[in-house]
Amino acid sequence: MLIATQLSAQCTDARVNIVTETLFKKYKSVEDFAAADYGELCEDIKSAGFYRNKAKNIILCCKRLIDVYGGEVPDTMEDLTSLAGTGRKTANLVLGDIFGKPAVVVDTHCKRIAKRIGLTVNDDPTKVEMDLKKIVPPDYQLRMCHQFVAHGRAVCTARRPKCAVCPIAGVCKSAGKC
């Protein structure tokens, strides 16, 4: 999940799924990724975009996982964000989905929905995360983020929100104004 999430930056989930299907057959372990030839890995992930930077970060991340964490993915925000290519969004996704810890994953959908319905006034993802952590119970945080993604894709889209059919329009500060 860590590698797939790193690949997802500026890339669709559908494309990441296509890339990882063959990628994870070729590179089966953290050691395989750490020892990967940079140029070859670039070719393997090219269609995910920003492949040069992503390949460099994947190799560096996996080397650090081996050198510092015994080949295991750590389970704290501080340790995860010490890995190349791993920001708060990726770290929160890993913390929540893999380790079952409270986590607020602020992607483009979460940020847009939280702002539109009035849960934050901020644009900075870290500030949005902190705002949501203050008001969303820990055991609901990750589920809320996944629900925001689904809602943002199906109803509250960036360009043409469907306020007329939105099930939360009654509590949304932006209903009918976008």
Side-chain angles (χ1 to χ4, degrees):
M1 175 170 256
L2 178 62
I3 303 264
T5 306
Q6 289 178 343
L7 288 171
S8 72
Q10 304 298 309
C11 186
T12 66
D13 290 346
R15 172 58 53 191
V16 171
N17 291 338
I18 291 167
V19 170
T20 56
E21 185 176 347
T22 56
L23 187 70
F24 293 151
K25 288 177 183 171
K26 182 174 183 177
Y27 304 95
K28 297 180 186 335
S29 68
V30 67
E31 291 82 10
D32 290 346
F33 279 107
D37 175 77
Y38 169 75
E40 192 173 336
L41 184 56
C42 281
E43 285 301 313
D44 294 334
I45 65 171
K46 193 171 193 172
S47 66
F50 300 97
Y51 60 92
R52 289 183 188 95
N53 203 36
K54 289 178 183 180
K56 177 186 72 147
N57 284 335
I58 288 169
I59 293 168
L60 289 172
C61 172
C62 290
K63 285 181 178 182
R64 182 166 173 82
L65 285 173
I66 292 166
D67 294 344
V68 178
Y69 302 104
E72 299 293 321
V73 175
D75 66 351
T76 69
M77 178 63 72
E78 182 180 356
D79 289 337
L80 284 165
T81 55
S82 77
L83 301 170
T86 307
R88 293 190 68 84
K89 175 186 157 192
T90 297
N92 271 312
L93 194 61
V94 170
L95 288 172
D97 280 346
I98 301 302
F99 293 108
K101 294 185 173 190
V104 175
V105 181
V106 180
D107 71 347
T108 186
H109 302 292
C110 180
K111 185 172 89 168
R112 180 177 68 252
I113 307 271
K115 194 165 182 182
R116 281 185 179 168
I117 63 178
L119 301 178
T120 186
V121 296
N122 290 299
D123 287 312
D124 176 76
T126 302
K127 289 180 180 177
V128 172
E129 175 189 340
M130 296 308 147
D131 288 344
L132 293 174
K133 280 186 173 190
K134 290 176 190 171
I135 59 174
V136 178
D139 61 339
Y140 184 67
Q141 291 173 355
L142 187 66
R143 183 172 173 204
M144 177 207 63
C145 295
H146 288 311
Q147 289 173 327
F148 278 8
V149 169
H151 187 67
R153 287 179 177 160
V155 179
C156 195
T157 59
R159 293 187 184 163
R160 289 199 178 127
K162 300 171 186 136
C163 298
V165 297
C166 179
I168 62 168
V171 297
C172 180
K173 295 190 188 267
S174 299
K177 299 176 188 172
C178 297

Short mmCIF file of all heavy atoms in Angstrom, two decimals, residues 16-77:
data_model
loop_
_atom_site.label_atom_id
_atom_site.label_comp_id
_atom_site.label_asym_id
_atom_site.label_seq_id
_atom_site.Cartn_x
_atom_site.Cartn_y
_atom_site.Cartn_z
N VAL A 16 -2.97 3.55 -11.35
CA VAL A 16 -2.13 2.93 -10.32
C VAL A 16 -2.40 1.42 -10.27
O VAL A 16 -1.47 0.62 -10.17
CB VAL A 16 -2.35 3.57 -8.93
CG1 VAL A 16 -1.65 2.77 -7.83
CG2 VAL A 16 -1.84 5.01 -8.93
N ASN A 17 -3.66 1.03 -10.37
CA ASN A 17 -4.00 -0.39 -10.35
C ASN A 17 -3.38 -1.13 -11.53
O ASN A 17 -2.92 -2.27 -11.38
CB ASN A 17 -5.52 -0.59 -10.32
CG ASN A 17 -6.13 -0.15 -9.01
OD1 ASN A 17 -5.45 -0.07 -7.99
ND2 ASN A 17 -7.41 0.15 -9.04
N ILE A 18 -3.36 -0.50 -12.68
CA ILE A 18 -2.75 -1.11 -13.87
C ILE A 18 -1.24 -1.26 -13.66
O ILE A 18 -0.66 -2.32 -13.92
CB ILE A 18 -3.04 -0.27 -15.14
CG1 ILE A 18 -4.52 -0.36 -15.49
CG2 ILE A 18 -2.16 -0.71 -16.31
CD1 ILE A 18 -4.99 0.67 -16.52
N VAL A 19 -0.60 -0.20 -13.17
CA VAL A 19 0.85 -0.22 -12.98
C VAL A 19 1.25 -1.24 -11.91
O VAL A 19 2.19 -2.02 -12.10
CB VAL A 19 1.37 1.19 -12.60
CG1 VAL A 19 2.82 1.16 -12.15
CG2 VAL A 19 1.20 2.15 -13.77
N THR A 20 0.54 -1.24 -10.79
CA THR A 20 0.93 -2.12 -9.69
C THR A 20 0.66 -3.59 -9.98
O THR A 20 1.32 -4.46 -9.40
CB THR A 20 0.23 -1.73 -8.36
OG1 THR A 20 -1.18 -1.73 -8.54
CG2 THR A 20 0.71 -0.36 -7.89
N GLU A 21 -0.27 -3.88 -10.87
CA GLU A 21 -0.54 -5.28 -11.20
C GLU A 21 0.72 -5.99 -11.70
O GLU A 21 1.03 -7.10 -11.26
CB GLU A 21 -1.65 -5.37 -12.25
CG GLU A 21 -2.05 -6.80 -12.55
CD GLU A 21 -3.22 -6.90 -13.51
OE1 GLU A 21 -3.89 -5.88 -13.77
OE2 GLU A 21 -3.46 -8.01 -14.00
N THR A 22 1.46 -5.35 -12.58
CA THR A 22 2.71 -5.95 -13.07
C THR A 22 3.89 -5.62 -12.17
O THR A 22 4.79 -6.44 -12.00
CB THR A 22 3.01 -5.50 -14.51
OG1 THR A 22 3.05 -4.08 -14.55
CG2 THR A 22 1.97 -6.01 -15.47
N LEU A 23 3.87 -4.44 -11.57
CA LEU A 23 4.99 -4.00 -10.72
C LEU A 23 5.20 -4.95 -9.55
O LEU A 23 6.33 -5.35 -9.25
CB LEU A 23 4.72 -2.58 -10.21
CG LEU A 23 5.85 -1.91 -9.45
CD1 LEU A 23 6.99 -1.55 -10.41
CD2 LEU A 23 5.34 -0.64 -8.76
N PHE A 24 4.12 -5.34 -8.87
CA PHE A 24 4.25 -6.18 -7.69
C PHE A 24 4.51 -7.64 -8.02
O PHE A 24 4.86 -8.43 -7.14
CB PHE A 24 3.02 -6.03 -6.79
CG PHE A 24 2.90 -4.65 -6.17
CD1 PHE A 24 1.66 -4.14 -5.85
CD2 PHE A 24 4.01 -3.86 -5.93
CE1 PHE A 24 1.53 -2.88 -5.28
CE2 PHE A 24 3.90 -2.60 -5.37
CZ PHE A 24 2.65 -2.10 -5.04
N LYS A 25 4.37 -8.01 -9.28
CA LYS A 25 4.79 -9.35 -9.71
C LYS A 25 6.31 -9.38 -9.93
O LYS A 25 6.96 -10.39 -9.70
CB LYS A 25 4.07 -9.76 -10.99
CG LYS A 25 2.61 -10.08 -10.76
CD LYS A 25 1.90 -10.42 -12.06
CE LYS A 25 0.42 -10.65 -11.78
NZ LYS A 25 -0.36 -10.77 -13.02
N LYS A 26 6.83 -8.24 -10.36
CA LYS A 26 8.27 -8.13 -10.63
C LYS A 26 9.06 -7.86 -9.36
O LYS A 26 10.13 -8.42 -9.15
CB LYS A 26 8.51 -7.01 -11.65
CG LYS A 26 9.94 -6.83 -12.05
CD LYS A 26 10.06 -5.79 -13.15
CE LYS A 26 11.48 -5.64 -13.63
NZ LYS A 26 11.57 -4.69 -14.75
N TYR A 27 8.57 -6.95 -8.54
CA TYR A 27 9.23 -6.58 -7.28
C TYR A 27 8.35 -7.11 -6.15
O TYR A 27 7.32 -6.54 -5.83
CB TYR A 27 9.37 -5.06 -7.17
CG TYR A 27 10.11 -4.43 -8.33
CD1 TYR A 27 9.41 -3.90 -9.41
CD2 TYR A 27 11.50 -4.35 -8.34
CE1 TYR A 27 10.08 -3.31 -10.49
CE2 TYR A 27 12.18 -3.76 -9.41
CZ TYR A 27 11.46 -3.25 -10.48
OH TYR A 27 12.13 -2.67 -11.53
N LYS A 28 8.79 -8.21 -5.55
CA LYS A 28 7.95 -8.91 -4.58
C LYS A 28 8.24 -8.54 -3.12
O LYS A 28 7.50 -8.94 -2.24
CB LYS A 28 8.11 -10.41 -4.76
CG LYS A 28 7.63 -10.91 -6.11
CD LYS A 28 7.82 -12.40 -6.22
CE LYS A 28 7.55 -13.07 -7.48
NZ LYS A 28 6.75 -12.73 -8.48
N SER A 29 9.30 -7.79 -2.89
CA SER A 29 9.67 -7.47 -1.51
C SER A 29 10.30 -6.09 -1.43
O SER A 29 10.68 -5.50 -2.44
CB SER A 29 10.67 -8.51 -0.99
OG SER A 29 11.91 -8.37 -1.66
N VAL A 30 10.42 -5.61 -0.20
CA VAL A 30 11.08 -4.33 0.03
C VAL A 30 12.53 -4.40 -0.46
O VAL A 30 13.06 -3.42 -1.00
CB VAL A 30 10.97 -3.91 1.52
CG1 VAL A 30 11.76 -4.83 2.43
CG2 VAL A 30 11.40 -2.48 1.74
N GLU A 31 13.15 -5.55 -0.32
CA GLU A 31 14.53 -5.73 -0.80
C GLU A 31 14.60 -5.61 -2.32
O GLU A 31 15.56 -5.03 -2.85
CB GLU A 31 15.08 -7.10 -0.35
CG GLU A 31 15.32 -7.21 1.14
CD GLU A 31 14.07 -7.53 1.97
OE1 GLU A 31 13.02 -7.86 1.38
OE2 GLU A 31 14.15 -7.42 3.21
N ASP A 32 13.60 -6.14 -3.02
CA ASP A 32 13.57 -6.03 -4.48
C ASP A 32 13.49 -4.58 -4.92
O ASP A 32 14.19 -4.16 -5.84
CB ASP A 32 12.38 -6.80 -5.07
CG ASP A 32 12.51 -8.31 -4.94
OD1 ASP A 32 13.62 -8.81 -4.65
OD2 ASP A 32 11.48 -8.99 -5.12
N PHE A 33 12.63 -3.80 -4.26
CA PHE A 33 12.51 -2.38 -4.60
C PHE A 33 13.79 -1.63 -4.24
O PHE A 33 14.25 -0.78 -5.00
CB PHE A 33 11.31 -1.75 -3.89
CG PHE A 33 10.01 -1.99 -4.58
CD1 PHE A 33 9.08 -2.88 -4.04
CD2 PHE A 33 9.68 -1.35 -5.76
CE1 PHE A 33 7.87 -3.10 -4.66
CE2 PHE A 33 8.47 -1.58 -6.40
CZ PHE A 33 7.55 -2.46 -5.85
N ALA A 34 14.40 -1.93 -3.11
CA ALA A 34 15.62 -1.24 -2.69
C ALA A 34 16.77 -1.50 -3.66
O ALA A 34 17.61 -0.63 -3.88
CB ALA A 34 16.01 -1.67 -1.27
N ALA A 35 16.79 -2.69 -4.23
CA ALA A 35 17.86 -3.07 -5.15
C ALA A 35 17.52 -2.79 -6.61
O ALA A 35 18.32 -3.09 -7.50
CB ALA A 35 18.19 -4.55 -4.97
N ALA A 36 16.37 -2.22 -6.86
CA ALA A 36 15.92 -1.99 -8.24
C ALA A 36 16.87 -1.07 -8.99
O ALA A 36 17.44 -0.14 -8.43
CB ALA A 36 14.51 -1.39 -8.23
N ASP A 37 17.02 -1.36 -10.26
CA ASP A 37 17.75 -0.47 -11.15
C ASP A 37 16.85 0.75 -11.40
O ASP A 37 15.69 0.59 -11.82
CB ASP A 37 18.06 -1.18 -12.46
CG ASP A 37 18.73 -0.26 -13.46
OD1 ASP A 37 19.93 0.00 -13.31
OD2 ASP A 37 18.01 0.21 -14.38
N TYR A 38 17.40 1.93 -11.15
CA TYR A 38 16.62 3.16 -11.27
C TYR A 38 15.98 3.29 -12.66
O TYR A 38 14.78 3.55 -12.78
CB TYR A 38 17.50 4.37 -10.96
CG TYR A 38 16.87 5.69 -11.31
CD1 TYR A 38 15.87 6.24 -10.52
CD2 TYR A 38 17.26 6.40 -12.45
CE1 TYR A 38 15.27 7.46 -10.84
CE2 TYR A 38 16.67 7.61 -12.79
CZ TYR A 38 15.69 8.13 -11.97
OH TYR A 38 15.10 9.32 -12.31
N GLY A 39 16.75 3.12 -13.71
CA GLY A 39 16.24 3.27 -15.07
C GLY A 39 15.14 2.27 -15.39
O GLY A 39 14.14 2.60 -16.03
N GLU A 40 15.33 1.06 -14.94
CA GLU A 40 14.33 0.01 -15.17
C GLU A 40 13.05 0.30 -14.40
O GLU A 40 11.95 0.14 -14.93
CB GLU A 40 14.92 -1.34 -14.75
CG GLU A 40 14.12 -2.53 -15.20
CD GLU A 40 14.83 -3.85 -14.89
OE1 GLU A 40 16.07 -3.88 -14.76
OE2 GLU A 40 14.10 -4.86 -14.79
N LEU A 41 13.19 0.75 -13.15
CA LEU A 41 12.00 1.09 -12.36
C LEU A 41 11.27 2.27 -12.99
O LEU A 41 10.04 2.29 -13.03
CB LEU A 41 12.39 1.39 -10.90
CG LEU A 41 11.23 1.67 -9.94
CD1 LEU A 41 10.22 0.53 -9.92
CD2 LEU A 41 11.76 1.95 -8.53
N CYS A 42 12.02 3.22 -13.51
CA CYS A 42 11.39 4.34 -14.22
C CYS A 42 10.50 3.83 -15.35
O CYS A 42 9.35 4.28 -15.50
CB CYS A 42 12.45 5.29 -14.79
SG CYS A 42 13.18 6.43 -13.60
N GLU A 43 11.02 2.91 -16.13
CA GLU A 43 10.24 2.34 -17.24
C GLU A 43 9.01 1.59 -16.72
O GLU A 43 7.94 1.67 -17.31
CB GLU A 43 11.10 1.42 -18.10
CG GLU A 43 12.06 2.15 -19.00
CD GLU A 43 11.35 3.11 -19.97
OE1 GLU A 43 10.35 2.69 -20.62
OE2 GLU A 43 11.78 4.26 -20.09
N ASP A 44 9.19 0.89 -15.61
CA ASP A 44 8.10 0.10 -15.05
C ASP A 44 6.93 0.96 -14.56
O ASP A 44 5.79 0.51 -14.56
CB ASP A 44 8.60 -0.76 -13.88
CG ASP A 44 9.59 -1.83 -14.32
OD1 ASP A 44 9.54 -2.26 -15.48
OD2 ASP A 44 10.42 -2.23 -13.48
N ILE A 45 7.22 2.18 -14.13
CA ILE A 45 6.17 3.04 -13.55
C ILE A 45 5.89 4.28 -14.40
O ILE A 45 5.13 5.15 -13.98
CB ILE A 45 6.50 3.45 -12.10
CG1 ILE A 45 7.75 4.34 -12.05
CG2 ILE A 45 6.66 2.21 -11.22
CD1 ILE A 45 8.00 4.96 -10.68
N LYS A 46 6.47 4.34 -15.57
CA LYS A 46 6.39 5.54 -16.41
C LYS A 46 4.97 6.05 -16.62
O LYS A 46 4.71 7.25 -16.56
CB LYS A 46 7.05 5.25 -17.77
CG LYS A 46 7.30 6.47 -18.59
CD LYS A 46 8.15 6.13 -19.81
CE LYS A 46 8.66 7.40 -20.45
NZ LYS A 46 9.63 7.09 -21.51
N SER A 47 4.04 5.15 -16.83
CA SER A 47 2.67 5.58 -17.13
C SER A 47 1.96 6.20 -15.93
O SER A 47 0.88 6.78 -16.09
CB SER A 47 1.85 4.41 -17.69
OG SER A 47 1.67 3.42 -16.70
N ALA A 48 2.55 6.11 -14.74
CA ALA A 48 1.96 6.73 -13.55
C ALA A 48 2.33 8.20 -13.43
O ALA A 48 1.86 8.89 -12.53
CB ALA A 48 2.38 5.97 -12.29
N GLY A 49 3.17 8.69 -14.34
CA GLY A 49 3.56 10.10 -14.31
C GLY A 49 4.60 10.39 -13.24
O GLY A 49 4.73 9.65 -12.26
N PHE A 50 5.34 11.46 -13.43
CA PHE A 50 6.38 11.88 -12.49
C PHE A 50 7.27 10.69 -12.10
O PHE A 50 7.71 10.57 -10.95
CB PHE A 50 5.78 12.55 -11.24
CG PHE A 50 4.97 13.76 -11.55
CD1 PHE A 50 3.59 13.68 -11.67
CD2 PHE A 50 5.59 15.00 -11.75
CE1 PHE A 50 2.83 14.81 -11.98
CE2 PHE A 50 4.83 16.12 -12.05
CZ PHE A 50 3.46 16.03 -12.17
N TYR A 51 7.50 9.82 -13.05
CA TYR A 51 8.13 8.53 -12.78
C TYR A 51 9.58 8.64 -12.30
O TYR A 51 10.01 7.81 -11.51
CB TYR A 51 8.04 7.61 -14.01
CG TYR A 51 8.71 8.18 -15.25
CD1 TYR A 51 10.03 7.88 -15.55
CD2 TYR A 51 8.00 9.01 -16.11
CE1 TYR A 51 10.63 8.40 -16.68
CE2 TYR A 51 8.59 9.53 -17.24
CZ TYR A 51 9.91 9.22 -17.53
OH TYR A 51 10.52 9.73 -18.65
N ARG A 52 10.31 9.65 -12.75
CA ARG A 52 11.71 9.77 -12.30
C ARG A 52 11.77 10.01 -10.79
O ARG A 52 12.53 9.36 -10.07
CB ARG A 52 12.41 10.90 -13.05
CG ARG A 52 12.70 10.59 -14.50
CD ARG A 52 13.46 11.74 -15.17
NE ARG A 52 13.57 11.51 -16.60
CZ ARG A 52 12.74 12.00 -17.51
NH1 ARG A 52 11.72 12.76 -17.15
NH2 ARG A 52 12.92 11.74 -18.78
N ASN A 53 10.99 10.96 -10.32
CA ASN A 53 10.97 11.28 -8.90
C ASN A 53 10.37 10.13 -8.09
O ASN A 53 10.87 9.79 -7.01
CB ASN A 53 10.19 12.58 -8.66
CG ASN A 53 10.58 13.24 -7.37
OD1 ASN A 53 11.73 13.22 -6.96
ND2 ASN A 53 9.60 13.83 -6.71
N LYS A 54 9.31 9.54 -8.60
CA LYS A 54 8.68 8.42 -7.89
C LYS A 54 9.63 7.24 -7.78
O LYS A 54 9.73 6.61 -6.72
CB LYS A 54 7.38 8.02 -8.58
CG LYS A 54 6.27 9.04 -8.41
CD LYS A 54 5.00 8.63 -9.15
CE LYS A 54 3.92 9.71 -9.04
NZ LYS A 54 2.69 9.33 -9.76
N ALA A 55 10.34 6.91 -8.86
CA ALA A 55 11.29 5.79 -8.82
C ALA A 55 12.40 6.06 -7.81
O ALA A 55 12.76 5.19 -7.00
CB ALA A 55 11.87 5.54 -10.21
N LYS A 56 12.94 7.27 -7.83
CA LYS A 56 13.99 7.63 -6.87
C LYS A 56 13.48 7.49 -5.45
O LYS A 56 14.15 6.90 -4.58
CB LYS A 56 14.45 9.07 -7.13
CG LYS A 56 15.49 9.59 -6.15
CD LYS A 56 15.78 11.06 -6.37
CE LYS A 56 14.58 11.84 -5.91
NZ LYS A 56 14.76 13.12 -5.33
N ASN A 57 12.29 8.02 -5.19
CA ASN A 57 11.73 7.95 -3.84
C ASN A 57 11.42 6.53 -3.40
O ASN A 57 11.63 6.18 -2.23
CB ASN A 57 10.48 8.82 -3.74
CG ASN A 57 10.80 10.29 -3.66
OD1 ASN A 57 11.88 10.69 -3.23
ND2 ASN A 57 9.87 11.12 -4.08
N ILE A 58 10.91 5.70 -4.29
CA ILE A 58 10.60 4.31 -3.94
C ILE A 58 11.88 3.58 -3.53
O ILE A 58 11.90 2.88 -2.51
CB ILE A 58 9.88 3.59 -5.11
CG1 ILE A 58 8.46 4.13 -5.24
CG2 ILE A 58 9.89 2.08 -4.92
CD1 ILE A 58 7.74 3.70 -6.51
N ILE A 59 12.93 3.75 -4.30
CA ILE A 59 14.20 3.09 -3.97
C ILE A 59 14.74 3.59 -2.64
O ILE A 59 15.11 2.80 -1.76
CB ILE A 59 15.23 3.27 -5.12
CG1 ILE A 59 14.77 2.51 -6.36
CG2 ILE A 59 16.62 2.82 -4.67
CD1 ILE A 59 15.53 2.84 -7.63
N LEU A 60 14.76 4.91 -2.46
CA LEU A 60 15.26 5.48 -1.19
C LEU A 60 14.39 5.07 -0.01
O LEU A 60 14.90 4.75 1.07
CB LEU A 60 15.33 7.01 -1.28
CG LEU A 60 16.42 7.58 -2.18
CD1 LEU A 60 16.25 9.10 -2.33
CD2 LEU A 60 17.80 7.24 -1.64
N CYS A 61 13.09 5.08 -0.20
CA CYS A 61 12.15 4.68 0.85
C CYS A 61 12.43 3.24 1.28
O CYS A 61 12.53 2.95 2.48
CB CYS A 61 10.72 4.81 0.33
SG CYS A 61 9.46 4.14 1.41
N CYS A 62 12.57 2.35 0.32
CA CYS A 62 12.78 0.93 0.65
C CYS A 62 14.15 0.68 1.26
O CYS A 62 14.29 -0.17 2.16
CB CYS A 62 12.54 0.07 -0.59
SG CYS A 62 10.78 0.04 -1.02
N LYS A 63 15.15 1.43 0.84
CA LYS A 63 16.47 1.31 1.47
C LYS A 63 16.37 1.73 2.94
O LYS A 63 16.94 1.08 3.82
CB LYS A 63 17.50 2.15 0.73
CG LYS A 63 17.94 1.53 -0.58
CD LYS A 63 18.99 2.37 -1.28
CE LYS A 63 19.42 1.66 -2.55
NZ LYS A 63 20.47 2.38 -3.28
N ARG A 64 15.65 2.81 3.22
CA ARG A 64 15.49 3.26 4.61
C ARG A 64 14.66 2.26 5.42
O ARG A 64 14.96 2.01 6.58
CB ARG A 64 14.85 4.65 4.65
CG ARG A 64 14.71 5.20 6.07
CD ARG A 64 14.39 6.69 6.07
NE ARG A 64 14.10 7.19 7.39
CZ ARG A 64 15.00 7.54 8.29
NH1 ARG A 64 16.30 7.44 8.01
NH2 ARG A 64 14.63 7.97 9.48
N LEU A 65 13.64 1.69 4.79
CA LEU A 65 12.86 0.67 5.49
C LEU A 65 13.75 -0.48 5.95
O LEU A 65 13.61 -0.98 7.06
CB LEU A 65 11.74 0.13 4.59
CG LEU A 65 10.53 1.03 4.38
CD1 LEU A 65 9.59 0.44 3.33
CD2 LEU A 65 9.79 1.26 5.69
N ILE A 66 14.68 -0.87 5.10
CA ILE A 66 15.60 -1.96 5.45
C ILE A 66 16.62 -1.50 6.50
O ILE A 66 16.80 -2.16 7.53
CB ILE A 66 16.32 -2.47 4.18
CG1 ILE A 66 15.32 -3.16 3.26
CG2 ILE A 66 17.48 -3.41 4.55
CD1 ILE A 66 15.83 -3.40 1.85
N ASP A 67 17.25 -0.36 6.25
CA ASP A 67 18.35 0.11 7.12
C ASP A 67 17.88 0.53 8.50
O ASP A 67 18.57 0.30 9.49
CB ASP A 67 19.08 1.29 6.46
CG ASP A 67 19.81 0.91 5.19
OD1 ASP A 67 20.02 -0.31 4.96
OD2 ASP A 67 20.17 1.83 4.42
N VAL A 68 16.72 1.17 8.58
CA VAL A 68 16.28 1.75 9.85
C VAL A 68 15.17 0.93 10.52
O VAL A 68 15.13 0.84 11.74
CB VAL A 68 15.81 3.21 9.64
CG1 VAL A 68 15.29 3.83 10.93
CG2 VAL A 68 16.94 4.06 9.06
N TYR A 69 14.31 0.31 9.72
CA TYR A 69 13.14 -0.34 10.28
C TYR A 69 13.10 -1.85 10.06
O TYR A 69 12.04 -2.48 10.20
CB TYR A 69 11.86 0.31 9.72
CG TYR A 69 11.80 1.79 10.01
CD1 TYR A 69 12.08 2.73 9.02
CD2 TYR A 69 11.50 2.25 11.29
CE1 TYR A 69 12.05 4.08 9.29
CE2 TYR A 69 11.47 3.60 11.57
CZ TYR A 69 11.75 4.51 10.57
OH TYR A 69 11.72 5.85 10.85
N GLY A 70 14.23 -2.44 9.74
CA GLY A 70 14.30 -3.89 9.58
C GLY A 70 13.41 -4.43 8.49
O GLY A 70 12.97 -5.58 8.54
N GLY A 71 13.12 -3.61 7.49
CA GLY A 71 12.30 -4.05 6.36
C GLY A 71 10.80 -3.96 6.61
O GLY A 71 10.01 -4.33 5.75
N GLU A 72 10.42 -3.46 7.79
CA GLU A 72 9.00 -3.34 8.14
C GLU A 72 8.54 -1.89 7.99
O GLU A 72 9.28 -0.95 8.29
CB GLU A 72 8.77 -3.78 9.58
CG GLU A 72 9.13 -5.23 9.84
CD GLU A 72 8.22 -6.21 9.12
OE1 GLU A 72 7.00 -5.95 9.06
OE2 GLU A 72 8.73 -7.22 8.61
N VAL A 73 7.29 -1.71 7.59
CA VAL A 73 6.72 -0.37 7.49
C VAL A 73 6.40 0.10 8.91
O VAL A 73 5.72 -0.60 9.66
CB VAL A 73 5.45 -0.37 6.62
CG1 VAL A 73 4.79 1.00 6.61
CG2 VAL A 73 5.79 -0.80 5.19
N PRO A 74 6.91 1.27 9.31
CA PRO A 74 6.66 1.77 10.66
C PRO A 74 5.21 2.22 10.84
O PRO A 74 4.49 2.42 9.86
CB PRO A 74 7.62 2.95 10.79
CG PRO A 74 7.85 3.41 9.40
CD PRO A 74 7.76 2.19 8.53
N ASP A 75 4.81 2.38 12.11
CA ASP A 75 3.41 2.70 12.38
C ASP A 75 3.20 4.01 13.13
O ASP A 75 2.24 4.17 13.87
CB ASP A 75 2.75 1.55 13.14
CG ASP A 75 3.32 1.36 14.53
OD1 ASP A 75 4.35 1.99 14.86
OD2 ASP A 75 2.73 0.58 15.30
N THR A 76 4.11 4.97 12.89
CA THR A 76 3.91 6.31 13.46
C THR A 76 4.04 7.35 12.36
O THR A 76 4.76 7.13 11.37
CB THR A 76 4.92 6.64 14.58
OG1 THR A 76 6.23 6.78 14.00
CG2 THR A 76 4.93 5.58 15.68
N MET A 77 3.37 8.47 12.55
CA MET A 77 3.44 9.56 11.58
C MET A 77 4.88 10.02 11.39
O MET A 77 5.34 10.21 10.26
CB MET A 77 2.55 10.73 12.04
CG MET A 77 2.59 11.94 11.13
SD MET A 77 1.97 11.66 9.46
CE MET A 77 0.22 11.51 9.77
#
